[in-house]
Amino acid sequence: MISVLLLFAPVAAALLVPMLARRLRGIHTGWFVLAVPVLLFVYYLGFLPKVKDGGVHIGELSWIPSYGISLTSYIDGLSLLFSLLITGIGSLVVLYSIFYLDKTKERLGNFYV
């Protein structure tokens, strides 16, 4: 179930980061954003031993049970590879942007959202 809910973590962060950036003006906005891809990368690394042995992880969250509709997360070797690539490269891009973008000249809220 938690693997299905974590799919919505970037959306939740996109809603929360502008509020954090307004309240904590002394901190670069990128530091708040960096937490999301790094935590997702570490979470997906936890599936590596299971998937390496040929297993899969299926997370299911019942959405409309009366119609038999549910949100399902299926993690196998290929999906884990792409999840790690996307979150790993995303983390590096955000980390680079923290040191590249100047918070006094750029509109960081628009960039990071």
Side-chain angles (χ1 to χ4, degrees):
M1 178 172 124
I2 195 90
S3 61
V4 176
L5 292 176
L6 282 177
L7 295 173
F8 300 104
V11 174
L15 298 173
L16 295 176
V17 165
M19 291 187 292
L20 285 173
R22 282 189 204 116
R23 291 196 179 178
L24 303 169
R25 292 201 182 266
I27 301 172
H28 195 283
T29 308
W31 291 113
F32 302 118
V33 176
L34 182 62
V36 175
V38 168
L39 291 175
L40 285 173
F41 183 79
V42 170
Y43 176 73
Y44 287 127
L45 275 178
F47 292 112
L48 202 56
K50 183 178 181 180
V51 171
K52 187 176 73 172
D53 295 334
V56 297
H57 173 76
I58 300 174
E60 190 169 348
L61 178 64
S62 201
W63 185 34
I64 307 174
S66 60
Y67 289 111
I69 298 174
S70 61
L71 300 172
T72 305
S73 169
Y74 182 85
I75 299 176
D76 61 353
L78 185 62
S79 61
L80 182 62
L81 171 69
F82 279 103
S83 297
L84 291 173
L85 279 172
I86 291 166
T87 56
I89 292 172
S91 300
L92 293 174
V93 167
V94 172
L95 184 64
Y96 176 78
S97 71
I98 290 170
F99 295 103
Y100 182 75
L101 296 175
D102 184 14
K103 68 180 187 176
T104 59
K105 295 179 184 176
E106 324 305 353
R107 295 179 58 177
L108 296 179
N110 293 343
F111 174 76
Y112 285 115
V113 170

